[in-house]
């Protein structure tokens, strides 16, 4: 059995499922379908079975997501092997090539399965059997893309046109061309034609085959990416690609750069359930519904509603629909979306509108992840800000001071060790301490459970850049 190296693409802008998904917290890190997040589901899907032996995961992401990735993998019992950090997003071609160059240095015969981390594929066993079929093709010199048998004339997906005379009984076919997201009439024609698949954006290949393709078809991308990989720096176990070379790379997808041009590309058909959850309408389709077509989250209620999705992402916030039909309503603590289902593909227009008006909720998520834990804003005023801070057991914030704000900390769960200038104090639940403006201070969790405190900041400026660090376990500046 050939060992396959799984590569998960975990970047993204996160604007198609706003307000749950945002630039600072895209959809793969949320639990949209089921208990685990989409990222966790993808990682678990790429673990060994009777069909396929998988090597440890390689993750390609950016600096903002590296710690949440570590946390989410740990939560499902997966050890992080290699997390590659892109200095800036350059689409899938440079990212996939960087992982390819990294892996071929470990294994000259490496077979790689590259997949997005935000798709829903419930049948792991069938997926593995299809990957195994793809491995057979890779071993005879093919590059494989996986396509999904269409069930309806979908306009939100790209398509693969298959060669009618070059298909076999196992569902393998040469690819004639890639088709962009079509209009409805064209999607209907392709569905009737029978030789088209939805483009799943999942690829399987030998590393040496992909490197040869880049050298021939995209030599400039190859040279710059190679330099970015060769001069990468290890950073707390993360493989940070060199930004000097990365910034000059073309922003281009693997489809445009390579897949549409190679002559040894075949498609393997996947007939089981699949969705990229590219819209709230798709989420509604994948969510359990009642006899009226109503899908509800915890804290959501529907009265005389039909074909509607109601989601509340805050257990203390109830959302109620009355007399709604074909409506999407999603409530976050800091933003609410209400839209017709047939307009769900246009949600990114909402994000663009909010960005034009400098609305922070366009891209920023209420909860921010850090290597030591997380924080979320509870209330913001002109001269005050209130946050809930969660610190992992044994973790510590940097030794720091602020020029423009003082802080008051109240421990509501666990035990904290607090340093303020030359004094150290242990705080239990219900105890508090004041941090004067300019004081050098540190917060540590000395307990065995997450420590939670409420932080009240007062002052003239509350930006994260108002931090002077003196010592930091995570080597931030």
């Amino acid at each position: 059995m050939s060992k396959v190296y799984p590569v998960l693409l975990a970047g993204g802008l996160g604007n198609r499922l706003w307000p749950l998904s945002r630039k600072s917290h895209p959809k793969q890190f949320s639990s949209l379908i089921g208990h685990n997040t989409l990222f966790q589901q993808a990682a678990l899907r790429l673990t060994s079975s009777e069909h396929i032996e998988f090597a440890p995961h390689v993750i390609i992401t950016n600096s903002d997501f590296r710690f949440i990735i570590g946390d989410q993998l740990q939560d499902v019992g997966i050890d992080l092997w290699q997390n590659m950090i892109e200095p800036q997003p350059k689409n899938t071609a440079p990212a996939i090539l960087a992982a390819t160059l990294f892996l071929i240095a470990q294994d000259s015969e490496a077979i790689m399965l590259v997949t997005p981390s935000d798709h829903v594929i419930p049948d792991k066993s069938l997926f593995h059997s299809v990957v195994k079929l793809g491995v057979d093709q890779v071993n005879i010199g093919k590059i494989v893309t996986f396509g999904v048998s269409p069930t309806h004339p979908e306009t939100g997906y790209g398509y693969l046109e298959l060669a009618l005379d070059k298909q076999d009984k196992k569902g393998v076919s040469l690819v004639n061309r890639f088709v962009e997201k079509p209009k409805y009439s064209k999607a209907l024609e392709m569905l009737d034609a029978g030789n088209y698949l939805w483009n799943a954006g999942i690829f399987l290949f030998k590393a040496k085959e992909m490197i040869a393709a880049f050298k021939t078809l995209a030599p400039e991308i190859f040279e710059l990416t190679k330099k970015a990989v060769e001069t990468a720096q290890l950073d707390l176990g993360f493989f940070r690609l060199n930004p000097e070379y990365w910034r000059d790379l073309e922003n281009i997808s693997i489809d445009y750069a390579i897949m549409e041009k190679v002559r040894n590309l075949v498609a393997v058909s996947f007939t089981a359930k699949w969705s990229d959850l590219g819209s709230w309408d798709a989420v509604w389709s994948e969510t359990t519904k009642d006899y009226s077509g109503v899908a509800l989250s915890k804290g959501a209620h529907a009265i005389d509603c039909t074909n509607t999705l109601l989601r509340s992402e805050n257990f203390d916030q109830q959302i109620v629909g009355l007399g709604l039909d074909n409506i999407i309503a999603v409530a976050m603590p800091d933003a609410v979306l209400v839209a017709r289902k047939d307009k769900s593909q246009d949600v990114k227009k909402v994000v663009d509108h909010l960005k034009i008006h400098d609305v922070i909720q366009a891209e920023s998520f209420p909860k921010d992840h850090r290597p030591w834990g997380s924080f979320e804003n509870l209330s913001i005023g002109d001269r005050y800000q209130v946050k809930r801070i969660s610190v992992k057991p044994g973790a510590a914030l940097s030794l720091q001071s602020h020029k423009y704000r003082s802080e008051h900390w109240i421990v509501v769960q666990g035990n904290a060790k607090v340093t303020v200038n030359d004094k150290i104090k242990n705080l239990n639940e219900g105890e508090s301490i004041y941090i004067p403006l300019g004081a050098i201070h540190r917060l540590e969790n000395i307990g065995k459970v997450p420590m939670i405190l409420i932080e009240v900041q007062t002052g003239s400026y509350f930006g994260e850049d108002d931090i002077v660090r003196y010592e930091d376990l995570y080597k931030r500046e």
Side-chain angles (χ1 to χ4, degrees), residues 48-96:
S48 298
S49 71
E50 60 179 329
H51 299 296
I52 292 290
E53 179 187 358
F54 280 109
H57 298 71
V58 174
I59 317 293
I60 306 175
T61 188
N62 61 47
S63 291
D64 293 339
F65 307 148
R66 57 180 179 160
F67 296 112
I68 189 173
I69 282 172
D71 289 345
Q72 291 202 355
L73 288 177
Q74 185 179 37
D75 287 346
V76 293
I78 295 177
D79 293 328
L80 178 62
W81 178 43
Q82 191 57 67
N83 193 339
M84 303 186 74
I85 306 297
E86 293 181 280
Q88 60 189 101
K90 289 292 183 177
N91 216 314
T92 54
I96 291 172

Side-chain angles (χ1 to χ4, degrees), residues 235-309:
D235 177 7
L236 294 173
F238 302 102
F239 194 71
R240 187 181 293 277
L241 299 164
N242 190 321
E244 180 181 348
Y245 299 109
W246 198 261
R247 69 182 175 216
D248 294 330
L249 280 162
E250 182 180 2
N251 188 320
I252 187 170
S253 72
I254 193 73
D255 290 10
Y256 284 131
I258 302 298
M259 298 302 178
E260 293 184 0
K261 301 173 183 177
V262 294
R263 296 184 177 181
N264 60 335
L265 180 68
V266 297
V268 175
S269 177
F270 183 60
T271 57
K273 196 171 186 180
W274 168 89
S275 175
D276 75 344
L277 294 184
S279 68
W280 280 115
D281 189 29
V283 175
W284 171 83
S285 296
E286 297 297 325
T287 305
T288 301
K289 296 173 283 293
D290 67 13
Y291 64 92
S292 298
V294 175
L296 301 174
S297 72
K298 184 177 180 180
H301 312 268
I303 303 170
D304 297 330
C305 296
T306 54
N307 301 318
T308 288
L309 172 69

Side-chain angles (χ1 to χ4, degrees), residues 363-384:
E363 296 184 329
S364 295
F365 201 70
K367 189 172 185 178
D368 225 325
H369 290 268
R370 291 291 187 268
W372 42 261
S374 64
F375 69 83
E376 53 189 312
N377 292 318
L378 301 180
S379 180
I380 299 176
D382 290 339
R383 291 190 57 81
Y384 75 89

